[in-house]
Amino acid sequence: MVFRRFAVAGVSLAATIGAAALAVAPTAAATPRTHPPHSAISTGQTVSSVPAAAVNGPSVPGTSAADAPDVDVAKVQAHLTELNAIATRNGGSRKSSGQGYRDSVAYVKNKLQAAGYTVTEQPCTSGCASGAGPNLIAEWPQGDATKVYMFGSHLDSVGAGPGINDNGSGSAALLETALTLAEQHPAMAARVRFGWWTDEEQGLNGSDFYVGSLSSAERSKIKAYYNFDMIASTNGGYFINHVNSTAAQPMKAYWDSLNLQPEENTEGAGRSDDYSFEQAGIPTSGYAMGASARKTSAQAAKWGGTASRAYDPCYHQSCDTTGNINATGLNRSVDGIAYTLWKLAVTNSTPANDFSLATSPATGSVDPGASATGTVSTATTSGSAQTVQLSATGAPAGVTVSFNPASVTSGGSSAMTVATTPATAPGTYPLTITGTGSVTHTTTYTLTVRGTGGCTTQQLLSNGGFESGTTPWTGDTGTIGAHAGQSAHSGSRFAWLGGYGSSTTDTLSQSVTVPAGCAKATLTYWLHIDTDESDRVAYDTFKVKVGSTTLTTLSNTDAASGYTQRTLDLSRYVGQRITLTFTATEDASLQTSFVIDDVTLQTG
């Protein structure tokens, strides 16, 4: 949770929580950065309370057969262990501008994609601290597309520590809730969207950017936003944002069933990402267990713990590790999250009009340049027949999926054609086939592109000259542009990593498949390094990685006028899917700029 200079009174929100869904907000176009960046907002955060003895939460009276599951807190703790390890590997922090944050994003993203979520990285192209990584948005592609409920937490830590309670606890709880939803796969009455926010510790910047990127129509479709920030404080209490509001009622009902007697989260008012949504008129609530404020005698009598001691004695410190987690509070929180989600978005009844979706065959194997065919069939499973629009996602570069016809009346079928090109890289690709009517259903088709035994000479990277926007590069895509103060090797655009003169890390990544059958793969890029450092000491570094393997490291000591062409042999990766990453890291003073252009990965 971020420390703010002002307090915001709790507002009781009496808006009826209805339903209305929303597609993931479009990513704003990257804008040129100013080097060096503006000064970051200073931070010092606070939250609220915690429980006493471990309790497996009972089901709340009044729920239906769609009762929420008991989320396994041991799995939540396993996510916290991994987040702690990520921080350890990255200097003890997961701050938004560091590699620890980006590794955290990758960990969460991989879990969600494997579970079937539609996942989007949203670069924060304005308002965030320099070098901040992206927001991560995940939507479960089931339920009425006119309704959406959103659950969020910030994924970054302060620079001083790994941030396992603040806010690994909220992030891990949401991740395991999302995975449990995918595993249970219940019938959905509404869409559920999850957000993991960047740069909260610098002023709620990631969530501010996300809400600001939504049109007024999109914002109006979000019926409630639920925030979870520090939900495992060791001396904490049980606090709910806007505890008496309509939005809070499912959360309060669950904790009331445990006789926890939750209180208003006054300490956290205006200090976490729910405030960004609240300012846009969206009903909000959420759980918290407390930060630096001190537990009162009355709270200690009610919840246990130590009076006159901070709810989280390790708040914003290096001791905020896995040893700083109240497992009882974490368990009660994650089960309350699941209960709220099930209560709002899961239905126990069959939709009035529903259909099934299937592909036959469910797999196909082709040589590059050939096409696979199949049949997408539908059936009316309840109510009346309806029009079903067909679409596909997950196809790699060079692969197209078409349907004839593109929409069918449930009970009908469509011919599916999956076409490749001679340049399509060999590999196995799971494609998601989606049917959208009054409800949405998906099924999976697995495409295998066989190796040809030979090798087609080709350039594998897309937009290596950075002239066509930022796609498909990921990471700090705000580094891409026609920035004043540097020039391109060719064309007008380039990627400018570093150049701030402060402790910052910038990364750019792209994933490609290096075709089997090739004898050689060569990475070539043009790099200009300029620096204000005068010592022959490597204070600021530039690394080229494939996956977690560093192929080369350059530094301020390699500075020179103009661009230098550099080449690396990637032949060892033939036949593999790889992620190529450029990373620039600066120390606390004296800028070094690493300017990249005209990147190619050539097979032969």
Side-chain angles (χ1 to χ4, degrees):
M1 167 201 287
V2 69
F3 176 81
R4 299 181 72 87
R5 295 178 182 272
F6 55 88
V8 179
V11 178
S12 177
L13 300 174
T16 300
I17 302 178
L22 172 68
V24 174
T27 299
T31 54
R33 298 181 307 156
T34 300
H35 286 65
H38 299 295
S39 299
I41 301 171
S42 61
T43 63
Q45 169 172 351
T46 308
V47 181
S48 325
S49 126
V50 86
V55 173
N56 287 323
S59 60
V60 177
T63 57
S64 67
D67 284 355
D70 182 1
V71 179
D72 188 348
V73 72
K75 293 182 178 179
V76 181
Q77 290 173 298
H79 299 316
L80 292 177
T81 297
E82 180 57 30
L83 292 176
N84 198 95
I86 287 171
T88 299
R89 294 193 296 268
N90 289 280
S93 172
R94 296 184 302 104
K95 63 183 180 180
S96 63
S97 60
Q99 189 62 39
Y101 177 77
R102 292 172 182 79
D103 289 352
S104 300
V105 169
Y107 173 76
V108 175
K109 180 180 180 180
N110 289 341
K111 294 283 187 183
L112 294 166
Q113 285 183 321
Y117 279 84
T118 302
V119 186
T120 303
E121 287 187 33
Q122 183 193 40
C124 183
T125 56
S126 64
C128 284
S130 177
N135 290 323
L136 188 69
I137 312 297
E139 185 161 319
W140 184 237
Q142 302 289 336
D144 187 341
T146 66
K147 304 175 182 179
V148 63
Y149 293 97
M150 193 158 187
F151 297 76
S153 63
H154 73 88
L155 187 54
D156 64 319
S157 75
V158 294
I164 300 307
N165 184 36
D166 183 15
N167 183 37
S169 61
S171 295
L174 285 192
L175 174 58
E176 191 55 35
T177 301
L179 298 180
T180 302
L181 177 64
E183 181 181 2
Q184 297 274 325
H185 210 286
M188 301 299 293
R191 289 294 175 96
V192 174
R193 185 177 309 143
F194 297 91
W196 285 266
W197 309 118
T198 187
D199 217 34
E200 189 269 0
E201 296 291 4
Q202 301 300 317
L204 317 184
N205 297 326
S207 57
D208 277 346
F209 179 81
Y210 175 80
V211 174
S213 73
L214 301 172
S215 68
S216 59
E218 289 172 330
R219 287 197 297 269
S220 70
K221 294 176 183 177
I222 302 178
K223 295 306 159 188
Y225 170 80
Y226 294 90
N227 195 68
F228 305 96
D229 192 349
M230 301 181 69
I231 58 172
S233 305
T234 53
N235 190 46
Y238 295 99
F239 301 100
I240 298 178
N241 304 340
H242 308 308
V243 65
N244 294 317
S245 68
T246 301
Q249 290 316 294
M251 311 200 77
K252 185 174 184 297
Y254 186 80
W255 274 2
D256 282 348
S257 76
L258 302 179
N259 195 31
L260 294 178
Q261 304 174 59
E263 298 179 3
E264 177 64 43
N265 181 19
T266 56
E267 182 193 15
R271 295 175 55 186
S272 195
D273 295 296
D274 54 308
Y275 188 65
S276 300
F277 289 81
E278 182 180 326
Q279 290 292 93
I282 296 170
T284 64
S285 188
Y287 287 148
M289 295 190 70
S292 59
R294 297 180 180 274
K295 178 173 282 188
T296 68
S297 297
Q299 290 171 340
K302 178 168 62 171
W303 294 321
T306 305
S308 300
R309 187 169 181 253
Y311 298 122
D312 181 358
C314 285
Y315 171 66
H316 280 191
Q317 298 177 50
S318 61
C319 58
D320 187 10
T321 65
T322 51
N324 188 46
I325 292 295
N326 182 318
T328 299
L330 183 65
N331 187 38
R332 290 166 168 171
S333 295
V334 72
D335 285 342
I337 295 169
Y339 174 77
T340 300
L341 188 157
W342 253 252
K343 192 73 172 176
L344 296 173
V346 173
T347 179
N348 190 37
S349 60
T350 302
N353 298 320
D354 202 1
F355 65 93
S356 62
L357 183 74
T359 58
S360 180
T363 62
S365 297
V366 297
D367 292 323
S371 297
T373 59
T375 300
V376 179
S377 59
T378 64
T380 301
T381 57
S382 66
S384 302
Q386 61 183 293
T387 299
V388 178
Q389 299 286 336
L390 300 174
S391 60
T393 56
V399 173
T400 59
V401 183
S402 59
F403 302 93
N404 186 21
S407 65
V408 299
T409 300
S410 57
S413 61
S414 176
M416 178 179 69
T417 302
V418 183
T420 68
T421 68
T424 301
T428 298
Y429 306 99
L431 311 182
T432 299
I433 311 302
T434 301
T436 304
S438 61
V439 293
T440 300
H441 293 289
T442 62
T443 187
T444 300
Y445 177 85
T446 302
L447 172 68
T448 298
V449 181
R450 294 185 288 260
T452 62
C455 179
T456 300
T457 299
Q458 57 184 305
Q459 205 287 96
L460 301 177
L461 293 174
S462 298
N463 193 23
F466 307 108
E467 300 298 325
S468 303
T470 61
T471 304
W473 295 98
T474 61
D476 295 299
T477 54
T479 61
I480 298 172
H483 307 294
Q486 295 287 350
S487 58
H489 174 257
S490 67
S492 61
R493 290 162 58 87
F494 49 90
W496 183 355
L497 278 62
Y500 302 98
S502 60
S503 297
T504 310
T505 299
D506 281 335
T507 66
L508 276 182
S509 298
Q510 187 174 147
S511 297
V512 297
T513 299
V514 184
C518 293
K520 192 171 183 63
T522 303
L523 173 69
T524 301
Y525 59 99
W526 291 84
L527 179 67
H528 169 56
I529 305 174
D530 72 50
T531 185
D532 290 339
E533 302 282 3
S534 57
D535 296 341
R536 299 298 297 172
V537 177
Y539 295 114
D540 309 317
T541 61
F542 176 85
K543 295 182 179 181
V544 182
K545 293 184 177 182
V546 169
S548 59
T549 301
T550 300
L551 303 181
T552 189
T553 301
L554 301 167
S555 73
N556 52 279
T557 64
D558 298 295
S561 61
Y563 280 87
T564 300
Q565 186 181 44
R566 299 184 182 273
T567 301
L568 291 169
D569 184 1
L570 269 58
S571 301
R572 77 185 84 168
Y573 299 104
V574 165
Q576 300 181 39
R577 181 77 173 169
I578 65 170
T579 298
L580 173 70
T581 302
F582 298 106
T583 302
T585 304
E586 289 187 278
D587 68 357
S589 64
L590 297 178
Q591 74 85 27
T592 301
S593 296
F594 301 94
V595 187
I596 316 166
D597 203 356
D598 295 330
V599 186
T600 62
L601 178 51
Q602 188 78 27
T603 59

